[in-house]
Amino acid sequence: YLDRRTGFKQSIEGLSARASLIADEQNLSASGDLIWQGLPLNYALSLSPVEAALSGGSMSVSLDLDADTALKASVSGAVQISPNLTFQGPVSVSTNALPSLADKAGVTITAADQLIGPMSLSGDLVVVGDAFAFSNARASVDLPAVAAQFVGQTGYQQALPNVAGQFNLDVKQAAPIVEAVKAFVPEVLPLSGTAKAYGQIMLVGSDFDLTGAAASANLDVGSLSFAG
């Protein structure tokens, strides 16, 4: 695939597939491997019933992707295409090479070297049109500048985000984070040092609540220093 407007090219090579169709059960399954933009990738896909997949009705879908530590993803659940896209089921994804994956997809990430490290996300996803809810959510990152974990639920409905759960944040190096933020907010003050925080967070639209929280920091903000 070549986007003539941007010149960006997508390529899949070495595609192999093993497929089976069980007529009585209306079950289609396929598995194999391919090379996406130079990344070897194993896949497995199943659809049931096949007739629903062709007509836009409700069907059961399962998809697994495995590119070793670069990418592991799993999605399974019930899907309906029309009249509105709906999905319900567990999802999980993990990577230690987000900048590389983004580059393969044609997305440029600011301060990409600070985003190399383990990242994971899992939970139960419900999508109805442009609204979604993500329960039993677990997210974790361990990057050069920051490590963070979140356990709880999140969603988006009627143009309002909502988040509720327990978070744990460890800022190992504040300076690289500030440099990344400057790409979007040039006026941000110079900041260096370390910080830690944890607690319960609740966000509904613009209403924000933080309970059971504790924090410690050793920071230099411009010409000022803070420790506590």
Side-chain angles (χ1 to χ4, degrees):
Y1 167 77
L2 174 64
D3 187 334
R4 296 189 180 279
R5 182 176 58 85
T6 63
F8 178 71
K9 181 181 180 181
Q10 286 277 4
S11 65
I12 293 178
E13 302 172 325
L15 174 63
S16 68
R18 297 173 292 278
S20 67
L21 174 62
I22 303 176
D24 292 342
E25 300 177 7
Q26 281 283 297
N27 180 68
L28 172 66
S29 62
S31 63
D33 54 77
L34 54 87
I35 299 176
W36 170 58
Q37 301 285 74
L39 177 68
L41 181 68
N42 298 313
Y43 68 91
L45 170 69
S46 68
L47 301 173
S48 179
V50 176
E51 182 180 356
L54 299 176
S55 65
S58 180
M59 59 185 165
S60 175
V61 175
S62 175
L63 174 65
D64 293 294
L65 303 174
D66 188 348
D68 199 14
T69 58
L71 175 66
K72 291 185 185 296
S74 177
V75 178
S76 62
V79 177
Q80 184 163 331
I81 305 299
S82 62
N84 293 311
L85 173 64
T86 65
F87 171 83
Q88 182 173 358
V91 301
S92 67
V93 60
S94 64
T95 179
N96 69 354
L98 178 62
S100 175
L101 293 176
D103 182 65
K104 294 178 187 300
V107 178
T108 301
I109 296 181
T110 302
D113 60 322
Q114 292 298 321
L115 293 175
I116 299 174
M119 301 181 180
S120 64
L121 175 66
S122 64
D124 298 318
L125 178 64
V126 176
V127 177
V128 180
D130 59 358
F132 77 89
F134 201 44
S135 59
N136 301 316
R138 292 182 173 271
S140 175
V141 299
D142 189 1
L143 308 177
V146 63
Q149 299 82 38
F150 173 81
V151 178
Q153 60 188 32
T154 183
Y156 186 85
Q157 186 174 12
Q158 296 179 343
L160 295 175
N162 65 81
V163 178
Q166 174 78 35
F167 76 92
N168 192 314
L169 176 67
D170 180 6
V171 177
K172 308 172 191 177
Q173 305 174 59
I177 299 174
V178 172
E179 288 301 313
V181 172
K182 279 185 178 180
F184 307 96
V185 186
E187 303 82 9
V188 67
L189 291 173
L191 179 67
S192 62
T194 62
K196 294 184 178 183
Y198 66 88
Q200 294 276 350
I201 185 174
M202 181 171 290
L203 171 68
V204 180
S206 60
D207 295 330
F208 177 80
D209 188 28
L210 192 61
T211 60
S216 62
N218 190 343
L219 299 170
D220 291 326
V221 184
S223 60
L224 300 176
S225 295
F226 169 80

